[in-house]
Structures are given as structure tokens and as C-alpha cells.
Amino acid sequence: MAISRLDIHRRNRGERTLVTLAGDIGPATTPLLRAAVEQCLLDGVTVIDIDLTTVGSCDARGLDVLLSASRRAGRVHARLRLHHPCAQIARLLDATGSDSLLLTAPVSPVPPAASGDLMSTATRAPGDPARRPDQPVLRDGIRLRRLTRWQAEDMREDIADLAAESVAGTAGEAYHDRGDFLHRLAVTAHRPGFALLVAETTVLVGCAFGFPMGSDGCDRRECGGALQEIIQRLTSRARFVVLTQVVAHPHAQHRDIARRLQQRLLTDLHSSLGVTLLHPADQAGQAAFSSWGWQNMGEVVGLPGPVAPCVLTLSVEGQPSARR
């Protein structure tokens, strides 16, 4: 008989904390869950968000731990909330009348058959409900999640840490400064249509962020007008997404993580073309983007800055990016 396992990862933000669980909540793992939640309350946390995305099952004892913790939290003016339960847990909550106590909103868990569906409506089976914008996409234990501006600000240091880890010890490290990264994130977050996606397991493993440009409400601030003219000349497309940054943790799945993040971002922003700019001497960065499916269009002049950057383009899978 297999021994169940539960991995617990806690990330604190002031008086709030996110507890990410991975595994199964059963007789062998319930004590771990109880200890983790009790420690949050002892530490004075006022909001405990428990992410169940990668939890396969929960028994009655585990539910009792969560309900007890929720009652204890209420007595000290704190809250415990569950997010993204699987179908089995959702049924357990519904059958016991616990959903209104532990869930913040009704849920429609991603069924196993659809969990690898990254590209939205085009590949759904007839009759399948549309994926909610806030519903995570699962594949191989990796979840994609879109953050609000507030959440992006809340996680900025974690995202910067990931960006630094992704280039540490590589030839491209010289072109990636932590301060510059945080500045780009802050500036991009104020662009109209800003979107940021993160990829997570029990920890952060990737992110991508950017903003749309085009004839329908394009952002022409700073170099926007010149960049739009250049991209339209190169690709014959007036609308595109500027992917300010794509980051993937340097492990075996980094290509898959990056590809899924960038394709999902293009889809969410209703564009079939992505554009990014890189320093022409950043060969490591160009190689990474090439491995993620980007096409290097060469150096371009006419944009502000001391160096003419390389323009790279990326199309939604199956569509050409450049004019033939």
C-alpha cells in the first residue's frame, strides 16, 4: 500500500500568507496540515489562503482540520480560505455543507481530461464550459495563474529573485540587473492592458508579463509609435503584444514553462503576435528566446536608447510571424 505524501509550502506577505499544498490529505498527512495551519495562527496571520490546486484528495479528517482551523481563525478575527479544490474535494465540501464556510466563491474544478488545455476555447471539446479567467491551468504539476496589478506588486521581490536565478552563472547575466528588472516591471504594470502570468508548482518557476499595442487602443507612449511602425513594416501586423519579460527557472522543463507562459499571455491578450527587445550582445538571451520559438528579426534603428536593440517576434502556435 502506497504511503500518501503532502508537501507544504508557505509564502508570507505581511499579515497574509499563501499555503500551497501538493499531494493528498489523509490519515498520514493530516497532522502536517494541522501543524502548518496552527503555526500560521500563532504567527498572527490574519488571512490564510490555502491553494489546493495540486491536492488529489482530502478525507473527512482533513476536512475537520480545515473547519476547526477556520473556526479558530474566526475567533481571532482572521480568515481561512480554500482555493481551486479538485472535483473530489469540491464534492466533499458540497456534501457536508462546508463550501460556504471555506470557499470564497463557487468553483468549477478543471476536469482531468482538460487539465493540459492551455490554448483555451479552440481545443475544447464541444459542450465543455469556458475556462474562467481566474481558473488555473494544470499540466504536469505546473499551474499557470494570472495576477492582478496588486498581486504583481505583492510578489515583485519573489519574481525578481526568480529572474536573478534564471540567469545566474550564464553568459547573459551581465545584461540582467535586478534593479532594472524591478523598474521594467513597475513601468509595464502601469501600461494599459498590462498582464502578468506566473507558473507555479509548490514554488514559483516562471513568469511572463507585457502589454498590448495596436490600432484598437494601442499604447503610444515613449517609443510605442516608432516600435509599432517597425513591427508593422516587418510583419504586416498592426496589433501585437510587447512581452517585456519571459522568465523560466533553469531546470529540465524550462522550455515548456516558457512556451506555455508566452502562448497563454498572447491568448489572454487576444493577439497572435508577441514582440520583445534584447541587447544585441546578449547572445545567451537570444539563444534562450530562440529555443522558446522566437524569431530574431535583427537590429533596428529609430528607437530611443544608446544601442540599437534586436527585435524578436513570436506567433501564436501554427501562425507565421513575418511577412513572406
Side-chain angles (χ1 to χ4, degrees):
M1 176 173 145
I3 299 176
S4 59
R5 173 176 173 174
L6 184 68
D7 293 326
I8 301 175
H9 175 72
R10 176 177 166 183
R11 181 161 55 222
N12 297 321
R13 284 298 183 205
E15 295 184 351
R16 303 183 60 166
T17 192
L18 172 65
V19 178
T20 304
L21 307 179
D24 296 291
I25 303 173
T29 58
T30 296
L32 297 175
L33 175 61
R34 179 184 292 108
V37 176
E38 287 180 351
Q39 189 60 53
C40 290
L41 294 173
L42 290 173
D43 291 342
V45 173
T46 58
V47 178
I48 305 172
D49 290 305
I50 299 183
D51 187 351
L52 301 173
T53 299
T54 47
V55 173
S57 64
C58 176
D59 65 4
R61 262 186 237 177
L63 177 60
D64 184 59
V65 167
L66 294 170
L67 288 170
S68 297
S70 178
R71 289 191 291 267
R72 285 190 56 197
R75 288 196 292 269
V76 295
H77 306 290
R79 288 183 297 163
L80 182 146
R81 308 181 298 190
L82 303 184
H83 300 271
H84 312 305
C86 67
Q88 182 269 326
I89 298 177
R91 288 194 297 268
L92 178 63
L93 293 171
D94 181 62
T96 57
S98 307
D99 45 2
S100 61
L101 300 174
L102 297 175
L103 296 177
T104 55
V107 296
S108 299
V110 180
S115 64
D117 180 11
L118 173 65
M119 294 308 297
S120 72
T121 58
T123 56
R124 288 203 313 271
D128 281 354
R131 176 181 54 79
R132 300 194 318 273
D134 63 335
Q135 189 172 18
V137 177
L138 295 177
R139 182 178 170 188
D140 303 328
I142 296 173
R143 177 179 70 140
L144 303 188
R145 180 163 63 100
R146 183 166 172 177
L147 304 186
T148 64
R149 281 186 174 88
W150 180 86
Q151 290 171 323
E153 173 63 23
D154 197 41
M155 290 185 63
R156 63 194 297 270
E157 295 298 333
D158 292 327
I159 295 171
D161 287 343
L162 175 68
E165 291 172 10
S166 69
V167 296
T170 71
E173 187 174 9
Y175 304 99
H176 299 272
D177 177 77
R178 183 187 178 90
D180 288 344
F181 176 87
L182 289 170
H183 176 71
R184 284 196 303 275
L185 176 57
V187 170
T188 307
H190 288 89
R191 299 273 190 174
F194 165 75
L196 185 149
L197 290 171
V198 294
E200 301 170 311
T201 53
T202 56
V203 294
L204 190 66
V205 294
C207 77
F209 57 89
F211 59 95
M213 293 188 66
S215 55
D216 51 345
C218 68
D219 187 345
R220 290 182 173 272
R221 290 179 293 176
E222 299 176 4
C223 65
L227 179 61
Q228 185 177 357
E229 181 180 342
I230 290 169
I231 298 306
Q232 189 164 4
R233 185 170 68 248
L234 291 173
T235 67
S236 300
R237 300 194 198 177
R239 177 178 173 81
F240 55 93
V241 172
V242 177
L243 278 85
T244 311
Q245 192 82 30
V246 180
V247 176
H249 195 278
H251 61 58
Q253 287 184 277
H254 78 94
R255 290 185 184 178
D256 183 51
I257 293 169
R259 286 175 180 271
R260 289 163 55 196
L261 280 167
Q262 60 199 24
Q263 292 290 334
R264 165 79 179 276
L265 192 61
L266 291 180
T267 300
D268 281 3
L269 294 181
H270 310 291
S271 179
S272 59
L273 180 69
V275 172
T276 196
L277 304 176
L278 290 180
H279 193 289
D282 185 4
Q283 298 298 319
Q286 293 179 41
F289 275 83
S290 176
S291 72
W292 300 338
W294 291 75
Q295 181 178 356
N296 193 331
M297 310 297 288
E299 297 177 27
V300 296
V301 296
L303 296 177
V307 178
C310 289
V311 171
L312 284 74
T313 60
L314 173 79
S315 282
V316 168
E317 291 173 355
Q319 299 188 28
S321 63
R323 182 173 50 196
R324 301 299 182 192

